[in-house]
Amino acid sequence: QVLPLLCLPLYVAALVFGAWVMAIAPFSALGYLGWVLSIGCVGGVIAINTGHELIHKTTKLETTAGGLLLACVGYGSFKVEHIYGHHVHVSTPGDGSSAPLGDNVYAFIARAFSHNVAMAYQLEKSNAERRGTAWTWWGSEINRLFAFTAVLAAVSTAIGGWIGLLYFIGQGVVAIALLEVINFIEHYGLARRQLP
């Protein structure tokens, strides 16, 4: 149980180290790209996979750590959408993480990301209504996770300037793309018949 939780400080340290390397290394443009791809692949494994597993746990510590790991790559909204959206609507037209037959993987990745962020907010608002509470921007878990993303982006920018910011955004895009490619493969062409 401790090892998955350790992924959070380890990946934050990797992000900071990565921004520092971007700031000081005499990379060519190809070298910068390779570094971003490398850190993004690490994020796809440590932040996405571990975060995904932790959001399915039952303790507040584990689910919070899972959300923060996802936020390290800019996909904190996945915590809400995956649990309350994907698990309910998998392999139906309402699921942004299920690719219909004939879909293109590149179009799917872009569509999945935009759909899943918007859906996460809708789900969070619906859950608040169901509990009889008002949804607020400052009370939103999604916004708190995006705020953590913004802090990490600011740290990367402080360390590496605009290259540090591009690095941070790039590693997140790579990690998210890896997740959505897996979703594409796992759910491609599957369709559940919906009954009344």
Side-chain angles (χ1 to χ4, degrees), residues 60 67 75-86 88-89 115-147:
K60 184 75 172 166
Y75 215 15
S77 58
F78 181 81
K79 179 182 179 192
V80 172
E81 195 286 326
H82 182 72
I83 299 293
Y84 300 107
H86 175 68
V88 175
H89 302 291
H115 173 274
N116 290 347
V117 172
M119 180 57 70
Y121 278 109
Q122 288 177 11
L123 291 164
E124 193 177 59
K125 290 174 183 177
S126 296
N127 288 343
E129 286 176 17
R130 200 169 24 260
R131 288 189 310 266
T133 59
W135 182 89
T136 60
W137 274 97
W138 54 89
S140 166
E141 179 180 24
I142 297 166
N143 287 341
R144 288 192 299 271
L145 292 170
F146 279 138

Side-chain angles (χ1 to χ4, degrees), residues 22 31-41 166-167 169-171 174:
M22 289 289 283
Y32 283 125
L33 179 61
W35 186 248
V36 169
L37 288 171
S38 297
I39 299 296
C41 286
L166 291 177
Y167 148 79
I169 293 168
Q171 65 84 33
V174 171

Side-chain angles (χ1 to χ4, degrees), residues 30 35-37 43 49 52 55-56 58 67-68 73 92 95 98 105 112 118 122 147 159 166 173 179 181 187 193 196:
L30 192 58
W35 186 248
V36 169
L37 288 171
N49 283 346
H52 169 251
I55 64 172
H56 286 93
T58 55
L68 291 173
V73 297
T92 68
D95 181 31
S98 295
V105 68
Q122 288 177 11
I159 293 168
L166 291 177
V173 167
L179 166 67
V181 165
H187 308 105
R193 191 173 50 145

